[in-house]
Amino acid sequence: MTTDPAAPAMRLASTGTIIHGVAVGEVLGVSTLAGARLIAGKSGLDRIVQRLNVMEVPDILAWVKPNELLLTTGYPLRNTPQSLGRLVADLDERGLSALAIKLGRYLDELPAEMIEQADRLGFPLIILPNDVGFDDILNQVLTDILNRQAAILARAEDAHRGLVQIVLAGGGMREVTAEVAGLLEVAVAAMDVSGATLAAAGGAEQVAMLRDAYMISGPGRDQPEPMVRADGHYAVVPIVAGGHHHGRIVAFSQAGTLRESDIRILERAATVAALVITKQEAVNAVESKYRADFLRDVLTGRGGGRIAERAKAFGWDLERPVSVMVAELDPESDERTAQDRLLAVWQAAVRRHDPRGAVAGFSHEVVVIVGAGVDTARLAAAAQSAFAECTFSTGMSRIASGAEGLADAYAQALKAARVGRQLHGNGAVAHFDQLGVYRLLSLVNDTAELHAFVRETLGALAGDDDAENADLRRTLHVLLETNLNVAETARRLHFHYNTLRYRIGKLERLLGNFTEDAHLRLNLTLALHVLNMRGI
């Protein structure tokens, strides 16, 4: 057989792409291969065969595909038996399953180097009977592969129909995991993106082993599974809906390695789990809107009668002394996606600290009402640690005696959040009672008047254009803070006493005799406070 270099390359016969397959060891059990002999690569008998190919041209490596069983008479290699050892390595590198050769016509025997290489790589080498045609092998093995694929698909479809029926009948994640655990006789768990278990089913011992082995040593929390993974007794399938990752389905088989058909069922379970999650999200969205509308009416004084009774329908207790908290996303955040996540974070935090607390999301903020005994600073810290998307500022109110005081408490918390951000920047946590004079300054709606007051009072020290003026303003601030204690001010600023005396003289030439005028000192203190309020 010769080839014309000028002719286009000929594509060798191949079975195409098949999803499922059979192990090499099973292929050797078909009737047409009854006389076949495995001479090397026994450790690779579990390699999966998904297609077959025939090698009768020298450049076969350009045409082979992973998971192929390659059949040959050795014709292309008849003149170069020394290359057979390298051929095994090349085929193994390309992911082929095995090589089956007919001896006698073109090759009398296989070189020892080739056999040694195959054993080392676990690449099965098979000697074919001379009385069996390649077409018979192709037909029978392909039939077995296709029958196996049809059976796997049918099993997966049956499982899918059963799982969908569970959801249509009102079942949730618990019923879905129980169904899959029963079908596969394994432990199954559904987890959200944070690694929290949504539901688990299976034998108690297997579930415990799944929790210990996978949930502790598996992928890190908040790390989405990018693809299906199978590792020995474990399998992980991502739950994806609408392009968003919602968690994962994890399975563990104590009896043995999970089969490919089991993985297909887990994939169908993940699809149904995504349906359950999106359905629950839709329900939650409606319920969240009702909760937010009711709480907004209460906080704006439009709640009407029977507020406490209506709140109980949401699991809230508004009859006891409570505190109101407001969490506002800081500027420059992706507000739409971050707002939903912020609400979820606060809901989880309140569930842990006060199960009877109220949580609702408004358009730009999350409002929380918790019992007076809850450590609100600790609650805010817990929410901040769980929220990695961006920053938010939190304000806390005074204690309100009950539902009738919630409107005032809400206004206090909102004021604390916004003034806290002005004072301390993004991510601030402030209590209304800790605002001091800033609480009064924040009531001035005319910010232009505040700016004018600062300029009139501080003069050249109001701006940051001149470094010397900014340094003098710092000296003034410490002087006022220490009630004109020159020695203490010099110590804090690391100045010599005489240097500070010189600076005081310069400040009085710029601002007036503030060391003698208490009213001027008050004005200067207020002006410095206004400068501290960022964003006015």
Side-chain angles (χ1 to χ4, degrees), residues 419-430 434-435 532-534:
V419 175
R421 183 189 293 116
Q422 289 176 335
L423 292 175
H424 308 298
N426 293 345
V429 178
Q434 297 171 346
L435 299 180
N532 280 338
M533 295 178 66
R534 314 175 192 190

Side-chain angles (χ1 to χ4, degrees), residues 117-136:
Q117 181 83 305
D119 274 328
R120 185 166 60 252
L121 296 173
F123 184 81
L125 283 181
I126 302 166
I127 302 299
L128 296 173
N130 288 322
D131 58 346
V132 177
F134 284 172
D135 57 341
D136 294 329

Side-chain angles (χ1 to χ4, degrees), residues 11-18 20-23 27 30 32-33 48-55 60 63-72 96-98 100 126 128 133-146:
R11 179 65 182 263
L12 299 184
S14 178
T15 61
T17 300
I18 295 177
H20 308 289
V22 295
V27 170
V30 301
T32 53
L33 295 177
I48 298 300
V49 177
Q50 293 181 338
R51 54 180 69 86
L52 286 82
N53 204 342
V54 177
M55 178 179 70
I60 186 63
W63 305 103
V64 296
K65 295 179 181 179
N67 301 114
E68 277 186 343
L69 169 60
L70 192 58
L71 309 176
T72 183
L96 266 73
S97 302
I126 302 166
L128 296 173
F134 284 172
D135 57 341
D136 294 329
I137 298 173
L138 288 167
N139 286 335
Q140 188 168 16
V141 175
L142 276 178
T143 298
D144 280 1
I145 292 174
L146 292 173

Side-chain angles (χ1 to χ4, degrees), residues 372-387:
V374 174
D375 185 340
T376 52
R378 183 180 175 189
L379 176 58
Q384 283 185 327
S385 66
F387 189 74

Side-chain angles (χ1 to χ4, degrees), residues 388-441:
E389 287 82 346
C390 51
T391 60
F392 64 88
S393 296
T394 308
M396 297 170 283
S397 75
R398 294 169 174 163
I399 301 299
S401 58
E404 63 277 2
L406 288 177
D408 289 341
Y410 170 62
Q412 294 168 7
L414 192 60
K415 181 71 68 178
R418 293 177 180 176
V419 175
R421 183 189 293 116
Q422 289 176 335
L423 292 175
H424 308 298
N426 293 345
V429 178
H431 193 286
F432 185 72
D433 282 340
Q434 297 171 346
L435 299 180
V437 70
Y438 296 107
R439 190 166 76 238
L440 300 177
L441 292 173

Side-chain angles (χ1 to χ4, degrees), residues 262-492:
D262 299 333
I263 306 299
R264 300 287 84 80
I265 290 178
L266 290 172
E267 289 177 329
R268 302 303 177 91
T271 301
V272 174
L275 175 63
V276 172
I277 290 173
T278 52
K279 182 182 76 170
Q280 188 59 49
E281 285 180 345
V283 173
N284 290 343
V286 174
E287 291 181 349
S288 180
K289 183 180 184 306
Y290 282 129
R291 286 193 295 266
D293 289 345
F294 169 66
L295 194 57
R296 185 182 290 108
D297 288 343
V298 172
L299 296 177
T300 54
R302 301 194 305 268
R306 303 171 59 194
I307 290 177
E309 183 179 339
R310 292 166 60 192
K312 286 181 180 177
F314 295 116
W316 302 342
D317 182 0
L318 302 185
E319 294 182 290
R320 54 185 174 157
V322 294
S323 295
V324 176
M325 305 175 68
V326 171
E328 277 192 326
L329 286 171
D330 292 321
E332 302 177 359
S333 59
D334 184 358
E335 192 164 308
R336 181 62 267 162
T337 56
Q339 183 72 20
D340 293 340
R341 174 68 178 146
L342 182 64
L343 175 60
V345 163
W346 275 97
Q347 286 173 332
V350 171
R351 275 197 301 270
R352 291 194 299 272
H353 289 79
D354 183 6
R356 296 183 298 160
V359 186
F362 296 169
S363 57
H364 301 290
E365 66 203 33
V366 172
V367 179
V368 175
I369 303 175
V370 292
V374 174
D375 185 340
T376 52
R378 183 180 175 189
L379 176 58
Q384 283 185 327
S385 66
F387 189 74
E389 287 82 346
C390 51
T391 60
F392 64 88
S393 296
T394 308
M396 297 170 283
S397 75
R398 294 169 174 163
I399 301 299
S401 58
E404 63 277 2
L406 288 177
D408 289 341
Y410 170 62
Q412 294 168 7
L414 192 60
K415 181 71 68 178
R418 293 177 180 176
V419 175
R421 183 189 293 116
Q422 289 176 335
L423 292 175
H424 308 298
N426 293 345
V429 178
H431 193 286
F432 185 72
D433 282 340
Q434 297 171 346
L435 299 180
V437 70
Y438 296 107
R439 190 166 76 238
L440 300 177
L441 292 173
S442 69
L443 297 175
V444 180
N445 294 324
D446 189 348
T447 58
E449 188 63 34
L450 287 175
H451 286 299
F453 172 73
V454 170
R455 289 193 300 271
E456 292 166 5
T457 306
L458 295 177
L461 302 189
D464 292 323
D465 297 336
D466 189 302
E468 183 181 1
N469 286 337
D471 192 34
L472 283 172
R473 191 172 69 233
R474 167 67 178 157
T475 302
L476 174 64
H477 172 76
V478 178
L479 270 169
L480 294 172
E481 196 175 60
T482 61
N483 197 25
L484 301 183
N485 186 323
V486 178
E488 176 62 16
T489 301
R491 187 188 67 79
R492 289 192 188 183

Side-chain angles (χ1 to χ4, degrees), residues 24-25 28 37-47 49 69-70 88 91-92 96-101 114 118-119 121-127:
V24 174
L28 290 174
R37 292 185 296 115
L38 178 73
I39 64 167
K42 183 177 181 181
S43 62
L45 287 178
D46 58 348
R47 293 186 182 217
V49 177
L69 169 60
L70 192 58
V88 167
L91 295 179
D92 177 72
L96 266 73
S97 302
L99 176 64
I101 304 174
M114 183 180 188
D119 274 328
L121 296 173
F123 184 81
L125 283 181
I126 302 166
I127 302 299

